[in-house]
Amino acid sequence: MSKIPRIPNLGGARAFVLHRPHPTVQAITRQLSAIGLETVGCWPELPAAALAADFVFFDADLGFDEQFPWTPGEAPMPLVALIGSEAPGRIEWALSHKADAQLLKPVGNAGVYSALLIARQSFEARKLLASEISSLRLRVAERQTIVRAVEALSKGAEDGRAYAQLRSLAMSWQISVEEAARRIVAMTEEGGDDQSHRA
């Protein structure tokens, strides 16, 4: 059974609303204030201070990449897209920025709180997934290094004995098998470079 995430206390958080002056901004600001968030309105671009924001709401209808001080899809906080037009190009653009939640315009007297919670949860899940992918890529790269080290140690002999030798070296050097493999590969490459220089 999966654990139900706790609803975080959002009081004291800071939200930037990247939208031209409009009743939508006023409606969002009212709701954010009632929840306990500090709101900063801005247009046509986010100031550098937005990098420290807890949330950013942005206009998906008139938005453009240069408004953001980060690469599309790499926001350091949860994003909430404010969508008025359902034109496919505008929705694609909002998706390219990896909006974590959305609010349909015109914004009324409700919806901001749930958008904040959904955005936070989605953002945290995306960060966790990116971290896991990065860790898996690192492990795959380490396994390839181990394979190369075993090949270097085997010199045509049995791979099982070469792997046992790698483990034995790691224990004698008091380092991990992965680190020992990196050392073996580095020594092998240096030896290859020396031979190529001699040739």
Side-chain angles (χ1 to χ4, degrees), residues 2 12 32 43-44 52 78 83 87 107 113 123 154 157 181 189 195:
S2 62
L32 289 171
W43 187 260
I83 299 174
V107 176
Y113 184 63
F123 178 76
S154 69
E189 288 173 352
Q195 287 171 8

Side-chain angles (χ1 to χ4, degrees), residues 5-151:
R6 290 191 58 215
I7 293 178
N9 179 4
L10 300 175
R14 195 170 191 214
F16 278 71
V17 181
L18 180 61
H19 196 290
R20 68 198 184 286
H22 191 272
T24 291
V25 177
Q26 295 163 8
I28 292 170
T29 301
R30 271 195 310 274
Q31 291 184 58
L32 289 171
S33 296
I35 298 165
L37 278 78
E38 177 192 345
T39 308
V40 179
C42 49
W43 187 260
E45 59 190 34
L46 284 170
L51 290 167
D54 296 293
F55 297 92
V56 169
F57 291 75
F58 69 94
D59 184 7
D61 299 333
L62 297 176
F64 51 94
D65 291 345
E66 292 73 23
Q67 289 181 299
F68 302 95
W70 53 74
T71 305
E74 295 183 10
M77 77 288 292
L79 298 180
V80 179
L82 302 168
I83 299 174
S85 165
E86 291 190 322
R90 290 282 80 198
I91 293 171
E92 276 180 29
W93 180 80
L95 289 172
S96 77
H97 279 272
K98 293 192 169 55
D100 300 293
Q102 69 174 32
L103 268 176
L104 294 179
K105 297 191 285 184
V107 176
N109 294 321
V112 168
Y113 184 63
S114 59
L116 289 171
L117 296 180
I118 290 166
R120 169 76 61 83
Q121 180 72 19
S122 176
F123 178 76
E124 293 300 331
R126 194 158 40 86
K127 269 184 22 186
L128 180 62
L129 183 61
S131 173
E132 288 173 356
I133 289 170
S134 176
S135 175
L136 287 171
R137 284 184 177 150
L138 182 62
R139 286 173 58 194
V140 166
E142 285 178 341
R143 288 208 171 122
Q144 290 171 343
T145 303
I146 289 171
V147 168
R148 288 173 60 200
V150 167
E151 285 174 355

